[in-house]
mmCIF file of all heavy atoms in Angstrom:
data_model
loop_
_atom_site.group_PDB
_atom_site.id
_atom_site.type_symbol
_atom_site.label_atom_id
_atom_site.label_comp_id
_atom_site.label_asym_id
_atom_site.label_seq_id
_atom_site.Cartn_x
_atom_site.Cartn_y
_atom_site.Cartn_z
ATOM 1 N N MET I 1 -300.811 60.183 32.523
ATOM 2 C CA MET I 1 -299.742 59.628 31.753
ATOM 3 C C MET I 1 -298.791 58.903 32.702
ATOM 4 O O MET I 1 -298.250 59.507 33.619
ATOM 5 C CB MET I 1 -299.021 60.735 31.006
ATOM 6 C CG MET I 1 -297.798 60.284 30.292
ATOM 7 S SD MET I 1 -296.940 61.709 29.620
ATOM 8 C CE MET I 1 -296.787 61.209 27.971
ATOM 9 N N PRO I 2 -298.582 57.626 32.509
ATOM 10 C CA PRO I 2 -297.687 56.884 33.407
ATOM 11 C C PRO I 2 -296.221 57.202 33.128
ATOM 12 O O PRO I 2 -295.848 57.582 32.019
ATOM 13 C CB PRO I 2 -297.996 55.421 33.093
ATOM 14 C CG PRO I 2 -298.565 55.431 31.724
ATOM 15 C CD PRO I 2 -299.243 56.761 31.547
ATOM 16 N N TYR I 3 -295.433 57.057 34.143
ATOM 17 C CA TYR I 3 -293.982 57.206 34.024
ATOM 18 C C TYR I 3 -293.396 55.833 33.755
ATOM 19 O O TYR I 3 -293.731 54.863 34.422
ATOM 20 C CB TYR I 3 -293.420 57.764 35.327
ATOM 21 C CG TYR I 3 -291.923 57.747 35.385
ATOM 22 C CD1 TYR I 3 -291.171 58.754 34.815
ATOM 23 C CD2 TYR I 3 -291.251 56.703 36.008
ATOM 24 C CE1 TYR I 3 -289.794 58.731 34.867
ATOM 25 C CE2 TYR I 3 -289.880 56.671 36.062
ATOM 26 C CZ TYR I 3 -289.156 57.697 35.486
ATOM 27 O OH TYR I 3 -287.793 57.670 35.532
ATOM 28 N N ILE I 4 -292.541 55.744 32.762
ATOM 29 C CA ILE I 4 -291.891 54.474 32.437
ATOM 30 C C ILE I 4 -290.388 54.708 32.465
ATOM 31 O O ILE I 4 -289.868 55.548 31.735
ATOM 32 C CB ILE I 4 -292.321 53.968 31.049
ATOM 33 C CG1 ILE I 4 -293.815 53.714 31.042
ATOM 34 C CG2 ILE I 4 -291.543 52.718 30.664
ATOM 35 C CD1 ILE I 4 -294.379 53.379 29.697
ATOM 36 N N GLY I 5 -289.693 53.985 33.338
ATOM 37 C CA GLY I 5 -288.247 54.091 33.422
ATOM 38 C C GLY I 5 -287.595 53.095 32.467
ATOM 39 O O GLY I 5 -287.997 51.942 32.391
ATOM 40 N N LEU I 6 -286.626 53.558 31.724
ATOM 41 C CA LEU I 6 -285.885 52.686 30.806
ATOM 42 C C LEU I 6 -284.455 52.575 31.304
ATOM 43 O O LEU I 6 -283.625 53.452 31.046
ATOM 44 C CB LEU I 6 -285.909 53.255 29.383
ATOM 45 C CG LEU I 6 -287.276 53.401 28.731
ATOM 46 C CD1 LEU I 6 -287.153 54.075 27.379
ATOM 47 C CD2 LEU I 6 -287.939 52.041 28.583
ATOM 48 N N ASP I 7 -284.172 51.516 32.047
ATOM 49 C CA ASP I 7 -282.829 51.317 32.581
ATOM 50 C C ASP I 7 -281.824 51.229 31.442
ATOM 51 O O ASP I 7 -282.037 50.524 30.455
ATOM 52 C CB ASP I 7 -282.756 50.039 33.412
ATOM 53 C CG ASP I 7 -283.567 50.128 34.691
ATOM 54 O OD1 ASP I 7 -283.840 51.262 35.138
ATOM 55 O OD2 ASP I 7 -283.933 49.082 35.231
ATOM 56 N N GLY I 8 -280.748 51.970 31.556
ATOM 57 C CA GLY I 8 -279.687 51.925 30.562
ATOM 58 C C GLY I 8 -279.905 52.826 29.363
ATOM 59 O O GLY I 8 -279.061 52.886 28.468
ATOM 60 N N PHE I 9 -281.016 53.557 29.327
ATOM 61 C CA PHE I 9 -281.298 54.390 28.160
ATOM 62 C C PHE I 9 -280.271 55.498 27.985
ATOM 63 O O PHE I 9 -279.835 55.787 26.878
ATOM 64 C CB PHE I 9 -282.693 54.989 28.228
ATOM 65 C CG PHE I 9 -282.968 55.937 27.097
ATOM 66 C CD1 PHE I 9 -283.210 55.450 25.823
ATOM 67 C CD2 PHE I 9 -282.945 57.301 27.292
ATOM 68 C CE1 PHE I 9 -283.429 56.310 24.764
ATOM 69 C CE2 PHE I 9 -283.167 58.173 26.245
ATOM 70 C CZ PHE I 9 -283.412 57.671 24.977
ATOM 71 N N LYS I 10 -279.849 56.121 29.068
ATOM 72 C CA LYS I 10 -278.884 57.217 28.971
ATOM 73 C C LYS I 10 -277.594 56.749 28.310
ATOM 74 O O LYS I 10 -277.023 57.448 27.484
ATOM 75 C CB LYS I 10 -278.594 57.810 30.349
ATOM 76 C CG LYS I 10 -277.666 59.008 30.281
ATOM 77 C CD LYS I 10 -277.510 59.654 31.618
ATOM 78 C CE LYS I 10 -276.604 60.849 31.674
ATOM 79 N NZ LYS I 10 -275.771 61.189 30.596
ATOM 80 N N ALA I 11 -277.162 55.550 28.639
ATOM 81 C CA ALA I 11 -275.938 55.020 28.030
ATOM 82 C C ALA I 11 -276.109 54.830 26.521
ATOM 83 O O ALA I 11 -275.191 55.116 25.747
ATOM 84 C CB ALA I 11 -275.557 53.699 28.685
ATOM 85 N N VAL I 12 -277.269 54.349 26.099
ATOM 86 C CA VAL I 12 -277.540 54.190 24.659
ATOM 87 C C VAL I 12 -277.479 55.552 23.977
ATOM 88 O O VAL I 12 -276.831 55.731 22.949
ATOM 89 C CB VAL I 12 -278.926 53.539 24.416
ATOM 90 C CG1 VAL I 12 -279.306 53.588 22.947
ATOM 91 C CG2 VAL I 12 -278.934 52.110 24.924
ATOM 92 N N ASN I 13 -278.152 56.515 24.564
ATOM 93 C CA ASN I 13 -278.206 57.856 23.998
ATOM 94 C C ASN I 13 -276.815 58.499 23.958
ATOM 95 O O ASN I 13 -276.427 59.093 22.945
ATOM 96 C CB ASN I 13 -279.162 58.707 24.830
ATOM 97 C CG ASN I 13 -279.917 59.717 24.025
ATOM 98 O OD1 ASN I 13 -280.237 59.491 22.870
ATOM 99 N ND2 ASN I 13 -280.227 60.828 24.636
ATOM 100 N N ASP I 14 -276.064 58.392 25.052
ATOM 101 C CA ASP I 14 -274.746 59.017 25.133
ATOM 102 C C ASP I 14 -273.719 58.323 24.246
ATOM 103 O O ASP I 14 -272.866 58.976 23.645
ATOM 104 C CB ASP I 14 -274.237 59.024 26.579
ATOM 105 C CG ASP I 14 -275.014 59.972 27.472
ATOM 106 O OD1 ASP I 14 -275.785 60.802 26.941
ATOM 107 O OD2 ASP I 14 -274.864 59.875 28.704
ATOM 108 N N THR I 15 -273.787 57.004 24.152
ATOM 109 C CA THR I 15 -272.794 56.244 23.394
ATOM 110 C C THR I 15 -273.066 56.246 21.900
ATOM 111 O O THR I 15 -272.140 56.384 21.096
ATOM 112 C CB THR I 15 -272.754 54.777 23.889
ATOM 113 O OG1 THR I 15 -272.474 54.781 25.291
ATOM 114 C CG2 THR I 15 -271.696 53.977 23.169
ATOM 115 N N ASN I 16 -274.325 56.097 21.534
ATOM 116 C CA ASN I 16 -274.675 55.918 20.124
ATOM 117 C C ASN I 16 -275.323 57.129 19.476
ATOM 118 O O ASN I 16 -275.608 57.103 18.282
ATOM 119 C CB ASN I 16 -275.614 54.714 19.985
ATOM 120 C CG ASN I 16 -274.964 53.457 20.490
ATOM 121 O OD1 ASN I 16 -273.915 53.062 20.013
ATOM 122 N ND2 ASN I 16 -275.565 52.830 21.483
ATOM 123 N N GLY I 17 -275.584 58.164 20.253
ATOM 124 C CA GLY I 17 -276.157 59.385 19.704
ATOM 125 C C GLY I 17 -277.661 59.460 19.857
ATOM 126 O O GLY I 17 -278.340 58.479 20.145
ATOM 127 N N HIS I 18 -278.159 60.663 19.637
ATOM 128 C CA HIS I 18 -279.582 60.921 19.832
ATOM 129 C C HIS I 18 -280.455 60.192 18.818
ATOM 130 O O HIS I 18 -281.590 59.809 19.141
ATOM 131 C CB HIS I 18 -279.861 62.420 19.803
ATOM 132 C CG HIS I 18 -279.267 63.137 20.980
ATOM 133 N ND1 HIS I 18 -279.837 63.107 22.223
ATOM 134 C CD2 HIS I 18 -278.148 63.880 21.099
ATOM 135 C CE1 HIS I 18 -279.102 63.802 23.063
ATOM 136 N NE2 HIS I 18 -278.063 64.280 22.410
ATOM 137 N N ALA I 19 -279.970 59.980 17.619
ATOM 138 C CA ALA I 19 -280.760 59.250 16.622
ATOM 139 C C ALA I 19 -281.009 57.814 17.095
ATOM 140 O O ALA I 19 -282.118 57.279 16.952
ATOM 141 C CB ALA I 19 -280.063 59.253 15.273
ATOM 142 N N ALA I 20 -279.990 57.188 17.681
ATOM 143 C CA ALA I 20 -280.161 55.828 18.210
ATOM 144 C C ALA I 20 -281.108 55.841 19.400
ATOM 145 O O ALA I 20 -281.961 54.957 19.538
ATOM 146 C CB ALA I 20 -278.811 55.242 18.616
ATOM 147 N N GLY I 21 -280.973 56.830 20.263
ATOM 148 C CA GLY I 21 -281.876 56.958 21.401
ATOM 149 C C GLY I 21 -283.318 57.141 20.949
ATOM 150 O O GLY I 21 -284.237 56.546 21.504
ATOM 151 N N ASP I 22 -283.505 57.967 19.919
ATOM 152 C CA ASP I 22 -284.851 58.167 19.370
ATOM 153 C C ASP I 22 -285.409 56.860 18.815
ATOM 154 O O ASP I 22 -286.594 56.556 19.000
ATOM 155 C CB ASP I 22 -284.839 59.224 18.274
ATOM 156 C CG ASP I 22 -284.573 60.624 18.797
ATOM 157 O OD1 ASP I 22 -284.594 60.828 20.037
ATOM 158 O OD2 ASP I 22 -284.324 61.523 17.965
ATOM 159 N N ALA I 23 -284.575 56.074 18.148
ATOM 160 C CA ALA I 23 -285.020 54.793 17.590
ATOM 161 C C ALA I 23 -285.443 53.836 18.700
ATOM 162 O O ALA I 23 -286.436 53.101 18.555
ATOM 163 C CB ALA I 23 -283.919 54.175 16.734
ATOM 164 N N VAL I 24 -284.714 53.844 19.809
ATOM 165 C CA VAL I 24 -285.083 52.997 20.956
ATOM 166 C C VAL I 24 -286.440 53.429 21.507
ATOM 167 O O VAL I 24 -287.309 52.594 21.774
ATOM 168 C CB VAL I 24 -284.003 53.045 22.056
ATOM 169 C CG1 VAL I 24 -284.494 52.410 23.347
ATOM 170 C CG2 VAL I 24 -282.732 52.369 21.574
ATOM 171 N N LEU I 25 -286.648 54.728 21.652
ATOM 172 C CA LEU I 25 -287.921 55.219 22.174
ATOM 173 C C LEU I 25 -289.084 54.858 21.254
ATOM 174 O O LEU I 25 -290.163 54.470 21.719
ATOM 175 C CB LEU I 25 -287.863 56.733 22.379
ATOM 176 C CG LEU I 25 -286.929 57.218 23.485
ATOM 177 C CD1 LEU I 25 -286.888 58.737 23.503
ATOM 178 C CD2 LEU I 25 -287.349 56.669 24.832
ATOM 179 N N VAL I 26 -288.877 54.963 19.956
ATOM 180 C CA VAL I 26 -289.924 54.592 19.001
ATOM 181 C C VAL I 26 -290.239 53.098 19.108
ATOM 182 O O VAL I 26 -291.402 52.695 19.132
ATOM 183 C CB VAL I 26 -289.514 54.972 17.559
ATOM 184 C CG1 VAL I 26 -290.457 54.358 16.536
ATOM 185 C CG2 VAL I 26 -289.481 56.485 17.405
ATOM 186 N N ALA I 27 -289.192 52.266 19.212
ATOM 187 C CA ALA I 27 -289.399 50.818 19.330
ATOM 188 C C ALA I 27 -290.146 50.468 20.617
ATOM 189 O O ALA I 27 -291.058 49.631 20.612
ATOM 190 C CB ALA I 27 -288.064 50.079 19.270
ATOM 191 N N VAL I 28 -289.788 51.113 21.720
ATOM 192 C CA VAL I 28 -290.478 50.866 22.994
ATOM 193 C C VAL I 28 -291.943 51.294 22.877
ATOM 194 O O VAL I 28 -292.846 50.574 23.296
ATOM 195 C CB VAL I 28 -289.780 51.604 24.155
ATOM 196 C CG1 VAL I 28 -290.633 51.597 25.415
ATOM 197 C CG2 VAL I 28 -288.422 50.981 24.426
ATOM 198 N N GLY I 29 -292.176 52.453 22.288
ATOM 199 C CA GLY I 29 -293.547 52.923 22.100
ATOM 200 C C GLY I 29 -294.369 51.975 21.241
ATOM 201 O O GLY I 29 -295.528 51.690 21.544
ATOM 202 N N ASP I 30 -293.766 51.477 20.174
ATOM 203 C CA ASP I 30 -294.464 50.527 19.298
ATOM 204 C C ASP I 30 -294.834 49.254 20.051
ATOM 205 O O ASP I 30 -295.940 48.733 19.906
ATOM 206 C CB ASP I 30 -293.596 50.177 18.081
ATOM 207 C CG ASP I 30 -293.474 51.319 17.088
ATOM 208 O OD1 ASP I 30 -294.263 52.289 17.167
ATOM 209 O OD2 ASP I 30 -292.571 51.235 16.226
ATOM 210 N N ARG I 31 -293.913 48.750 20.856
ATOM 211 C CA ARG I 31 -294.183 47.523 21.621
ATOM 212 C C ARG I 31 -295.256 47.739 22.677
ATOM 213 O O ARG I 31 -296.132 46.885 22.872
ATOM 214 C CB ARG I 31 -292.904 47.002 22.270
ATOM 215 C CG ARG I 31 -291.949 46.410 21.268
ATOM 216 C CD ARG I 31 -290.716 45.881 21.950
ATOM 217 N NE ARG I 31 -289.802 45.337 20.970
ATOM 218 C CZ ARG I 31 -288.859 44.464 21.265
ATOM 219 N NH1 ARG I 31 -288.694 44.049 22.500
ATOM 220 N NH2 ARG I 31 -288.068 44.011 20.317
ATOM 221 N N LEU I 32 -295.202 48.882 23.369
ATOM 222 C CA LEU I 32 -296.225 49.183 24.363
ATOM 223 C C LEU I 32 -297.597 49.322 23.701
ATOM 224 O O LEU I 32 -298.590 48.788 24.193
ATOM 225 C CB LEU I 32 -295.885 50.465 25.119
ATOM 226 C CG LEU I 32 -294.761 50.363 26.134
ATOM 227 C CD1 LEU I 32 -294.388 51.756 26.632
ATOM 228 C CD2 LEU I 32 -295.175 49.486 27.297
ATOM 229 N N ARG I 33 -297.640 50.038 22.591
ATOM 230 C CA ARG I 33 -298.908 50.226 21.877
ATOM 231 C C ARG I 33 -299.481 48.884 21.443
ATOM 232 O O ARG I 33 -300.674 48.608 21.620
ATOM 233 C CB ARG I 33 -298.708 51.131 20.668
ATOM 234 C CG ARG I 33 -299.992 51.472 19.942
ATOM 235 C CD ARG I 33 -299.773 52.393 18.729
ATOM 236 N NE ARG I 33 -299.033 53.595 19.047
ATOM 237 C CZ ARG I 33 -297.739 53.817 18.718
ATOM 238 N NH1 ARG I 33 -297.062 52.904 18.063
ATOM 239 N NH2 ARG I 33 -297.153 54.944 19.031
ATOM 240 N N ALA I 34 -298.651 48.029 20.876
ATOM 241 C CA ALA I 34 -299.106 46.717 20.406
ATOM 242 C C ALA I 34 -299.628 45.867 21.569
ATOM 243 O O ALA I 34 -300.647 45.195 21.445
ATOM 244 C CB ALA I 34 -297.979 45.986 19.679
ATOM 245 N N ALA I 35 -298.943 45.910 22.709
ATOM 246 C CA ALA I 35 -299.365 45.118 23.863
ATOM 247 C C ALA I 35 -300.698 45.611 24.408
ATOM 248 O O ALA I 35 -301.583 44.820 24.730
ATOM 249 C CB ALA I 35 -298.301 45.161 24.957
ATOM 250 N N VAL I 36 -300.865 46.923 24.491
ATOM 251 C CA VAL I 36 -302.102 47.480 25.027
ATOM 252 C C VAL I 36 -303.263 47.218 24.074
ATOM 253 O O VAL I 36 -304.341 46.800 24.488
ATOM 254 C CB VAL I 36 -301.944 48.990 25.306
ATOM 255 C CG1 VAL I 36 -303.284 49.638 25.605
ATOM 256 C CG2 VAL I 36 -300.966 49.212 26.454
ATOM 257 N N LEU I 37 -303.056 47.437 22.788
ATOM 258 C CA LEU I 37 -304.136 47.258 21.816
ATOM 259 C C LEU I 37 -304.527 45.795 21.642
ATOM 260 O O LEU I 37 -305.672 45.500 21.292
ATOM 261 C CB LEU I 37 -303.745 47.860 20.466
ATOM 262 C CG LEU I 37 -303.621 49.386 20.437
ATOM 263 C CD1 LEU I 37 -303.173 49.857 19.064
ATOM 264 C CD2 LEU I 37 -304.922 50.051 20.841
ATOM 265 N N SER I 38 -303.601 44.882 21.900
ATOM 266 C CA SER I 38 -303.911 43.463 21.741
ATOM 267 C C SER I 38 -304.742 42.924 22.907
ATOM 268 O O SER I 38 -305.297 41.835 22.816
ATOM 269 C CB SER I 38 -302.625 42.649 21.632
ATOM 270 O OG SER I 38 -301.984 42.572 22.895
ATOM 271 N N GLY I 39 -304.789 43.672 24.002
ATOM 272 C CA GLY I 39 -305.522 43.215 25.172
ATOM 273 C C GLY I 39 -304.758 42.191 25.992
ATOM 274 O O GLY I 39 -305.293 41.600 26.917
ATOM 275 N N ARG I 40 -303.488 41.967 25.673
ATOM 276 C CA ARG I 40 -302.693 40.969 26.389
ATOM 277 C C ARG I 40 -301.919 41.564 27.551
ATOM 278 O O ARG I 40 -301.131 40.884 28.170
ATOM 279 C CB ARG I 40 -301.700 40.302 25.432
ATOM 280 C CG ARG I 40 -302.362 39.485 24.354
ATOM 281 C CD ARG I 40 -301.323 38.930 23.429
ATOM 282 N NE ARG I 40 -300.607 40.059 22.839
ATOM 283 C CZ ARG I 40 -299.468 39.962 22.173
ATOM 284 N NH1 ARG I 40 -298.898 38.808 22.010
ATOM 285 N NH2 ARG I 40 -298.892 41.023 21.657
ATOM 286 N N SER I 41 -302.104 42.826 27.836
ATOM 287 C CA SER I 41 -301.331 43.454 28.900
ATOM 288 C C SER I 41 -302.178 43.619 30.156
ATOM 289 O O SER I 41 -303.396 43.716 30.104
ATOM 290 C CB SER I 41 -300.802 44.811 28.442
ATOM 291 O OG SER I 41 -301.869 45.651 28.093
ATOM 292 N N ARG I 42 -301.502 43.612 31.306
ATOM 293 C CA ARG I 42 -302.136 43.864 32.598
ATOM 294 C C ARG I 42 -301.391 45.025 33.240
ATOM 295 O O ARG I 42 -300.166 45.040 33.263
ATOM 296 C CB ARG I 42 -302.030 42.644 33.499
ATOM 297 C CG ARG I 42 -302.782 41.440 32.981
ATOM 298 C CD ARG I 42 -302.738 40.295 33.983
ATOM 299 N NE ARG I 42 -301.423 40.050 34.536
ATOM 300 C CZ ARG I 42 -300.549 39.157 34.059
ATOM 301 N NH1 ARG I 42 -300.857 38.440 33.016
ATOM 302 N NH2 ARG I 42 -299.383 38.979 34.635
ATOM 303 N N TRP I 43 -302.117 45.971 33.761
ATOM 304 C CA TRP I 43 -301.510 47.131 34.403
ATOM 305 C C TRP I 43 -301.858 47.134 35.881
ATOM 306 O O TRP I 43 -302.951 46.761 36.260
ATOM 307 C CB TRP I 43 -302.036 48.418 33.771
ATOM 308 C CG TRP I 43 -301.540 48.606 32.379
ATOM 309 C CD1 TRP I 43 -302.085 48.070 31.244
ATOM 310 C CD2 TRP I 43 -300.401 49.330 31.964
ATOM 311 N NE1 TRP I 43 -301.350 48.441 30.150
ATOM 312 C CE2 TRP I 43 -300.308 49.222 30.569
ATOM 313 C CE3 TRP I 43 -299.439 50.077 32.640
ATOM 314 C CZ2 TRP I 43 -299.301 49.822 29.839
ATOM 315 C CZ3 TRP I 43 -298.437 50.678 31.898
ATOM 316 C CH2 TRP I 43 -298.370 50.556 30.515
ATOM 317 N N SER I 44 -300.922 47.563 36.674
ATOM 318 C CA SER I 44 -301.202 47.780 38.090
ATOM 319 C C SER I 44 -300.597 49.113 38.493
ATOM 320 O O SER I 44 -299.703 49.621 37.830
ATOM 321 C CB SER I 44 -300.628 46.645 38.946
ATOM 322 O OG SER I 44 -299.224 46.638 38.864
ATOM 323 N N TRP I 45 -301.077 49.663 39.571
ATOM 324 C CA TRP I 45 -300.626 50.987 40.021
ATOM 325 C C TRP I 45 -300.106 50.889 41.452
ATOM 326 O O TRP I 45 -300.793 51.279 42.395
ATOM 327 C CB TRP I 45 -301.758 51.989 39.921
ATOM 328 C CG TRP I 45 -302.240 52.148 38.531
ATOM 329 C CD1 TRP I 45 -303.324 51.549 37.969
ATOM 330 C CD2 TRP I 45 -301.647 52.920 37.489
ATOM 331 N NE1 TRP I 45 -303.438 51.908 36.652
ATOM 332 C CE2 TRP I 45 -302.436 52.742 36.330
ATOM 333 C CE3 TRP I 45 -300.529 53.742 37.428
ATOM 334 C CZ2 TRP I 45 -302.131 53.380 35.129
ATOM 335 C CZ3 TRP I 45 -300.222 54.357 36.223
ATOM 336 C CH2 TRP I 45 -301.019 54.179 35.094
ATOM 337 N N PRO I 46 -298.895 50.379 41.635
ATOM 338 C CA PRO I 46 -298.328 50.350 42.992
ATOM 339 C C PRO I 46 -297.993 51.768 43.451
ATOM 340 O O PRO I 46 -298.012 52.702 42.645
ATOM 341 C CB PRO I 46 -297.055 49.503 42.811
ATOM 342 C CG PRO I 46 -296.691 49.663 41.380
ATOM 343 C CD PRO I 46 -297.989 49.844 40.638
ATOM 344 N N PRO I 47 -297.688 51.951 44.716
ATOM 345 C CA PRO I 47 -297.435 53.299 45.247
ATOM 346 C C PRO I 47 -296.318 54.046 44.524
ATOM 347 O O PRO I 47 -296.346 55.267 44.459
ATOM 348 C CB PRO I 47 -297.049 53.050 46.702
ATOM 349 C CG PRO I 47 -297.591 51.718 47.024
ATOM 350 C CD PRO I 47 -297.628 50.935 45.749
ATOM 351 N N ASP I 48 -295.331 53.346 43.973
ATOM 352 C CA ASP I 48 -294.194 54.027 43.365
ATOM 353 C C ASP I 48 -294.291 54.149 41.848
ATOM 354 O O ASP I 48 -293.359 54.579 41.205
ATOM 355 C CB ASP I 48 -292.889 53.335 43.748
ATOM 356 C CG ASP I 48 -292.833 51.891 43.260
ATOM 357 O OD1 ASP I 48 -293.898 51.338 42.923
ATOM 358 O OD2 ASP I 48 -291.737 51.339 43.219
ATOM 359 N N GLY I 49 -295.408 53.799 41.225
ATOM 360 C CA GLY I 49 -295.546 53.955 39.776
ATOM 361 C C GLY I 49 -296.330 52.836 39.160
ATOM 362 O O GLY I 49 -296.897 51.984 39.844
ATOM 363 N N ALA I 50 -296.365 52.803 37.846
ATOM 364 C CA ALA I 50 -297.132 51.799 37.119
ATOM 365 C C ALA I 50 -296.235 50.666 36.657
ATOM 366 O O ALA I 50 -295.056 50.868 36.369
ATOM 367 C CB ALA I 50 -297.797 52.435 35.912
ATOM 368 N N THR I 51 -296.780 49.482 36.597
ATOM 369 C CA THR I 51 -296.067 48.350 36.031
ATOM 370 C C THR I 51 -296.979 47.674 35.028
ATOM 371 O O THR I 51 -298.197 47.710 35.153
ATOM 372 C CB THR I 51 -295.657 47.319 37.105
ATOM 373 O OG1 THR I 51 -296.838 46.861 37.769
ATOM 374 C CG2 THR I 51 -294.705 47.913 38.110
ATOM 375 N N ALA I 52 -296.389 47.095 34.020
ATOM 376 C CA ALA I 52 -297.166 46.371 33.012
ATOM 377 C C ALA I 52 -296.551 45.002 32.832
ATOM 378 O O ALA I 52 -295.343 44.817 32.944
ATOM 379 C CB ALA I 52 -297.140 47.118 31.684
ATOM 380 N N ALA I 53 -297.392 44.025 32.574
ATOM 381 C CA ALA I 53 -296.908 42.658 32.349
ATOM 382 C C ALA I 53 -297.674 42.072 31.180
ATOM 383 O O ALA I 53 -298.802 42.449 30.903
ATOM 384 C CB ALA I 53 -297.130 41.821 33.599
ATOM 385 N N ARG I 54 -297.037 41.166 30.505
ATOM 386 C CA ARG I 54 -297.678 40.466 29.394
ATOM 387 C C ARG I 54 -297.991 39.069 29.806
ATOM 388 O O ARG I 54 -297.353 38.434 30.534
ATOM 389 C CB ARG I 54 -296.757 40.410 28.193
ATOM 390 C CG ARG I 54 -297.047 41.451 27.231
ATOM 391 C CD ARG I 54 -296.223 41.452 26.012
ATOM 392 N NE ARG I 54 -295.706 40.175 25.587
ATOM 393 C CZ ARG I 54 -295.109 39.973 24.449
ATOM 394 N NH1 ARG I 54 -294.963 40.944 23.628
ATOM 395 N NH2 ARG I 54 -294.643 38.828 24.100
#
């Protein structure tokens, strides 16, 4: 399972509440799933983690 950092996520969660944070996570998951299933994504595994590009 790759680690994905979401810059600024803590501020969204702290400022707007956990429901908003959950909505952001669902939206990110939906976008990642769509990109991977469409075959338009490229993954690489650098020493410090995974990166994806469209």
Side-chain angles (χ1 to χ4, degrees):
M1 174 187 233
Y3 171 83
I4 298 173
L6 299 175
D7 292 338
F9 175 75
K10 184 174 180 349
V12 170
N13 214 33
D14 290 347
T15 303
N16 300 302
H18 292 282
D22 291 349
V24 169
L25 292 176
V26 169
V28 168
D30 288 345
R31 288 181 181 201
L32 286 171
R33 185 180 307 105
V36 169
L37 292 178
S38 73
R40 294 177 300 167
S41 59
R42 295 185 314 266
W43 290 84
S44 65
W45 299 98
D48 62 343
T51 59
R54 262 182 28 171

